[in-house]
Amino acid sequence: LNAIVISALFPMATILSFHCSAEAWTELVNEPPDVLITDMRHPEWGGRELLRRLARRRIKYPIIVVSGS
């Protein structure tokens, strides 16, 4: 899902988009979102590694994982 579609569905939401795992990780740790929508495939770590790292931190927000497979 891209930010345009999400913002159309949720006009009051603030949408943040990241192009690399490290950049997303920094934001997720410092400013936890209300909900995270992520793909299983993305540069650097991949979706599974991101989910492992979030699980180790015992995050408290919902995660929606999408995949083109």
Side-chain angles (χ1 to χ4, degrees):
L1 297 171
N2 70 30
I4 295 169
V5 173
I6 295 169
S7 63
L9 294 171
F10 304 99
M12 300 303 290
T14 299
I15 310 296
L16 301 176
S17 178
F18 303 98
H19 297 287
C20 71
S21 302
E23 181 184 7
W25 179 251
T26 300
E27 186 68 24
L28 292 170
V29 170
N30 292 329
E31 291 291 330
D34 293 324
V35 64
L36 170 64
I37 301 173
T38 187
D39 196 330
M40 285 305 288
R41 295 185 197 198
H42 48 84
E44 298 174 317
W45 306 339
R48 287 191 178 151
E49 179 60 22
L50 178 62
L51 293 174
R52 276 189 212 107
R53 290 176 185 227
L54 290 169
R56 277 187 248 144
R57 286 209 166 245
R58 300 175 190 230
I59 57 96
K60 302 287 188 215
Y61 48 84
I63 300 173
I64 299 169
V65 180
V66 295
S67 175
S69 304

